[in-house]
Amino acid sequence: MSIPPRLLALCAALVLSGCSSAQPTPAPVRASGPVVEAAPAAPNPSAAQSGSAPARQPGASSPGVLPPVIQNGPRDRQQVALTFDADMTDAMIARLKRGEVASYANLRLLGMLEQRGIPATFFVTGQWAEQYPEVTRRIAGNPRFEIANHSYEHAAFTGDCYNLPRVPADAMTEDVAKTFRALEPFGGRQTRYFRFPGLCHDRKALQALAPLGVTVVDGDVVSGDPFARGPAPVVNAVLSQVKPGSVIILHVTEANALYTDDALPEILAGLRRRGLEPVTLSDLLAGGR
């Protein structure tokens, strides 16, 4: 039985990011719970008027209710969301300390987005923000960027997630809450969006997040950019899958996604040819401003 290319790309990306050197047994991407294509309209993330109630963060859902799971935005508008995962595992930190890699922060990619005025959503792990506080402040300081939660140390929330180390069941809620606390001081356009490491989740994982009032975001375009052997496969993966309303998964982790910055200009050109406008995730799910 053949393994779908999308699953292979995701599997390779996660295993080679420092979680395990062993070959994984492909596991199904978990999508239990309420899976929807487009979230209800998100609130405007701009600051509340003086004296008015604080603005509700994009992605906020009702605490205590199973979080919605988003695959993509509305298909009836020519918009897509570029999302960039900022992974950081204990193994990646160890490689940095040993000098085996130079950086897991792609500043060239960040500069390219800034110079071109491209909106983007960054799913940041708590450990990445702590490792790169200046870069995180730079992201937070750009009004075209928004920040989302990608767990604290990129560990698995299910037992069969590409050999990622496991978050204990009784620690799942705190792992995500700890990340929100780590990200909050950076300010900027904070959201209540959350992406599971490896996109692996089941009902128990969703139940653990229910008290936090989040929206879970998977994505329908997996770029496979970690450890791609050149920019062309990344470009082809994105442009062959993208549709109106797509949520595109890329990475800002330089050492294990070496060609994302080289691929980005061609990806942006391909989106333009298709008449697709990059917007933040919150704007995509709210239908734009």
Side-chain angles (χ1 to χ4, degrees), residues 57 122 124-143 145-148 152 178-191:
Q57 285 185 329
F122 292 83
V124 181
T125 59
Q127 289 196 145
W128 194 90
E130 291 170 356
Q131 187 71 36
Y132 298 109
E134 291 301 323
V135 183
T136 306
R137 273 190 283 272
R138 179 173 166 182
I139 292 170
N142 190 320
F145 297 159
E146 64 185 7
I147 296 175
Y152 187 73
K178 180 179 181 181
T179 306
F180 278 125
R181 292 196 300 270
L183 296 175
E184 184 178 8
F186 292 98
R189 296 179 63 177
Q190 300 271 341
T191 73

Side-chain angles (χ1 to χ4, degrees), residues 143-206:
R144 293 181 181 271
F145 297 159
E146 64 185 7
I147 296 175
N149 187 321
H150 194 35
S151 81
Y152 187 73
E153 55 187 288
H154 205 262
F157 284 68
T158 64
D160 54 354
C161 189
Y162 313 109
N163 292 329
L164 286 168
R166 181 79 183 272
V167 179
D170 60 358
M172 290 180 182
T173 308
E174 174 57 20
D175 180 280
V176 180
K178 180 179 181 181
T179 306
F180 278 125
R181 292 196 300 270
L183 296 175
E184 184 178 8
F186 292 98
R189 296 179 63 177
Q190 300 271 341
T191 73
R192 299 297 288 185
Y193 297 121
F194 175 77
R195 176 171 286 157
F196 283 98
L199 307 185
C200 299
H201 49 88
D202 54 19
R203 189 173 182 84
K204 287 184 178 179
L206 292 174

Side-chain angles (χ1 to χ4, degrees), residues 78-278:
Q78 295 296 106
Q79 296 177 328
V80 297
L82 292 173
T83 69
F84 294 89
D85 290 359
D87 304 346
M88 185 60 69
T89 66
D90 290 341
M92 292 164 72
I93 291 174
R95 287 195 176 104
L96 283 170
K97 289 180 177 178
R98 292 194 298 265
E100 295 175 4
V101 297
S103 178
Y104 286 109
N106 193 328
L107 299 184
R108 180 171 178 253
L109 171 65
L110 191 58
M112 203 177 304
L113 293 168
E114 291 168 338
Q115 292 164 13
R116 295 176 180 228
I118 304 297
T121 302
F122 292 83
F123 282 85
V124 181
T125 59
Q127 289 196 145
W128 194 90
E130 291 170 356
Q131 187 71 36
Y132 298 109
E134 291 301 323
V135 183
T136 306
R137 273 190 283 272
R138 179 173 166 182
I139 292 170
N142 190 320
R144 293 181 181 271
F145 297 159
E146 64 185 7
I147 296 175
N149 187 321
H150 194 35
S151 81
Y152 187 73
E153 55 187 288
H154 205 262
F157 284 68
T158 64
D160 54 354
C161 189
Y162 313 109
N163 292 329
L164 286 168
R166 181 79 183 272
V167 179
D170 60 358
M172 290 180 182
T173 308
E174 174 57 20
D175 180 280
V176 180
K178 180 179 181 181
T179 306
F180 278 125
R181 292 196 300 270
L183 296 175
E184 184 178 8
F186 292 98
R189 296 179 63 177
Q190 300 271 341
T191 73
R192 299 297 288 185
Y193 297 121
F194 175 77
R195 176 171 286 157
F196 283 98
L199 307 185
C200 299
H201 49 88
D202 54 19
R203 189 173 182 84
K204 287 184 178 179
L206 292 174
Q207 287 172 334
L209 269 58
L212 302 178
V214 302
T215 293
V216 173
V217 178
D218 288 343
D220 63 323
V221 177
V222 178
S223 69
D225 55 344
F227 288 91
R229 297 186 178 183
V234 181
V235 175
N236 293 337
V238 172
L239 297 184
S240 65
Q241 300 177 75
V242 73
K243 301 174 184 177
S246 281
V247 175
I248 301 168
I249 303 173
L250 294 153
H251 289 75
V252 69
T253 44
E254 169 70 11
N256 67 357
L258 290 172
Y259 299 101
T260 312
D261 47 3
D262 293 322
L264 185 61
E266 291 189 54
I267 290 172
L268 294 174
L271 295 178
R272 283 196 301 272
R273 288 194 298 271
R274 290 161 172 77
L276 296 173
E277 175 194 8

